[in-house]
Amino acid sequence: MIAPTMIRQIGASTQSFTVRFPKLTRLVAMQQQQNDKVVSSASGGPIEPRNAKVIETALQRLNLRVLENADSGVAQPQTAQSGRRVYVARHAERVDFTFGSWVPYSFNDAGEYVRKDLNMPKSLPPRSPNIWQQDTPLTNLGCYQARLTGEAMKEAGVRIDHVFCSPAFRCVQTAASIIEGLGLRESLPIRIEPGLLEWLTWYPAGIPTYLSNDELTSAGINAAKNYTPLTSVEDLKQSMKESFEAFCSRNAELSKQLIKATEGNILIVGHAATLETCTSAFVHPDIPLTRDLLKRILKFSYCSIVMMESVDGSWKMTRPPCAPFTNSKNDRFDWKDLS
């Protein structure tokens, strides 16, 4: 058992601590056993544990290493760029992954949305509850994550000329919030590109009916009304049984077309896998994407962002313009527990 105070000091969960620092974990466990058997000294106070100094020294070194690792992930303000830049971001925190099966208790018998938690949206565009089950919105924290990301990008001097986004509402909301943080809400419309949708196998009930550009506009989102996507939803419906390799190729080819058809810097907002499927073909052209990606994306947190830059005619992955957004698990409070 790892001392809770130690976990708080390094900001890690017990499980992740055990995996990352097995030797220190064993030392703490031994110390815990000694503490359980502690006897009183002649003065009535506890005997000083023999390993206390060892643990204190180890913690000091560990804290320093954690801070060093954290510093290495914080981007500095970007210098004058030498080539085009493509930023690829995952959507922010989604309602269904946070609250589980949220639709049954969030809509009344008339099909009207009723907010049941402060982290749920205050309101939602009018839509069938069944569709919301398939096309979840962001939580309020998710919108904040994305806006904060945009603000950090602005502080880092990021310039965005084009925004392309998966039609999933959580992705559209993320793109809109990032743009808001960048201060470009009115001047930079979002181009909805269905080809950026995640693997179609994850939609056994069929592709959801996504909000139209007019509906998005009514919801306060600056969606490009005159944009003709390179891949339509109807095109996707013809490929519902696509293989994982076909999905990776779809995203890769689309990103190539988007870069070829535009000038300037691009922001692509999609899903967890998008971070790799839209960049791998550029920075690792000889390494085919495999199903190992399904394991790797578990480490891609909400609002993760990657950046690749064109240098001397070739693309390379470089440090993102802003730090990641990390938050802890927060159990739901029920006042009735105290009644």
Side-chain angles (χ1 to χ4, degrees):
M1 181 67 179
I2 300 172
T5 53
M6 178 177 290
I7 300 300
R8 287 195 294 271
Q9 286 182 34
I10 66 169
S13 67
T14 301
Q15 182 178 6
S16 64
F17 183 96
T18 303
V19 173
R20 292 169 59 193
F21 311 107
K23 292 183 179 179
L24 188 55
T25 298
R26 289 194 296 272
L27 183 58
V28 173
M30 292 171 57
Q31 182 60 58
Q32 187 66 44
Q33 291 176 359
Q34 289 185 357
N35 290 344
D36 291 341
K37 298 178 181 178
V38 71
V39 295
S40 297
S41 63
S43 61
I47 296 176
E48 182 70 16
R50 288 179 299 171
N51 291 330
K53 187 62 178 178
V54 176
I55 293 178
E56 181 181 358
T57 301
L59 270 177
Q60 291 175 349
R61 294 176 179 175
L62 178 60
N63 286 335
L64 179 60
R65 187 167 69 182
V66 170
L67 287 173
E68 287 175 346
N69 290 340
D71 290 341
S72 67
V74 178
Q76 301 298 320
Q78 295 190 354
T79 57
Q81 66 183 68
S82 58
R84 296 183 69 185
R85 286 173 175 167
V86 175
Y87 305 88
V88 185
R90 183 195 178 190
H91 62 76
E93 182 181 84
R94 49 193 290 175
V95 167
D96 56 349
F97 279 16
T98 303
F99 295 97
S101 183
W102 64 286
V103 170
Y105 64 85
S106 296
F107 290 84
N108 58 26
D109 293 339
E112 300 169 329
Y113 171 69
V114 181
R115 186 186 195 185
K116 294 296 182 67
D117 190 282
L118 292 182
N119 196 25
M120 285 185 167
K122 189 173 184 178
S123 62
L124 288 174
R127 205 179 189 192
S128 167
N130 291 334
I131 297 180
W132 282 121
Q133 187 71 60
Q134 301 177 62
D135 186 27
T136 183
L138 294 181
T139 63
N140 284 330
L141 178 60
C143 292
Y144 175 70
Q145 285 175 326
R147 187 173 70 253
L148 199 63
T149 298
E151 291 174 357
M153 293 172 71
K154 181 178 181 180
E155 291 173 358
V158 170
R159 188 189 77 245
I160 300 295
D161 301 294
H162 311 279
V163 180
F164 298 95
C165 182
S166 162
F169 190 59
R170 59 189 179 276
C171 297
V172 177
Q173 284 184 296
T174 300
S177 294
I178 290 177
I179 292 172
E180 181 179 351
L182 282 165
L184 302 174
R185 183 179 180 277
E186 302 299 331
S187 60
L188 191 59
I190 301 170
R191 300 176 183 180
I192 307 300
E193 185 53 69
L196 292 172
L197 193 63
E198 58 194 339
W199 190 15
L200 300 182
T201 296
W202 290 331
Y203 294 88
I207 298 177
T209 302
Y210 295 111
L211 293 172
S212 66
N213 285 343
D214 289 338
E215 290 173 321
L216 291 174
T217 300
S218 298
I221 293 173
N222 184 9
K225 294 185 177 181
N226 298 323
Y227 176 67
T228 302
L230 300 179
T231 303
S232 67
V233 172
E234 294 303 318
D235 293 333
L236 295 181
K237 289 180 179 180
Q238 305 302 316
S239 306
M240 289 303 297
K241 295 183 179 180
E242 72 176 352
S243 65
F244 183 73
E245 290 71 20
F247 152 64
C248 293
S249 296
R250 166 166 58 85
N251 273 193
E253 289 302 316
L254 176 62
S255 58
K256 290 179 181 179
Q257 293 181 55
L258 293 178
I259 291 175
K260 184 178 180 179
T262 58
E263 295 181 356
N265 297 340
I266 297 175
L267 170 64
I268 294 175
V269 181
H271 309 266
T274 309
L275 273 65
E276 183 159 342
T277 56
C278 285
T279 59
S280 238
F282 293 90
V283 297
H284 302 296
D286 298 328
I287 303 177
L289 291 170
T290 68
R291 289 182 181 273
D292 288 341
L293 172 59
L294 295 177
K295 298 178 182 179
R296 289 195 295 277
I297 62 176
L298 296 177
K299 300 179 181 179
F300 299 171
S301 58
Y302 289 129
C303 248
S304 295
I305 187 168
V306 295
M307 182 185 81
M308 61 180 187
E309 183 175 3
S310 176
V311 179
D312 297 328
S314 62
W315 292 91
K316 67 174 183 178
M317 197 77 76
T318 57
R319 176 178 290 182
C322 59
F325 185 107
T326 304
N327 61 288
S328 63
K329 181 180 182 298
N330 183 40
D331 291 331
R332 191 173 188 184
F333 172 70
D334 189 344
W335 67 271
K336 289 181 288 187
D337 292 341
L338 299 178
S339 62

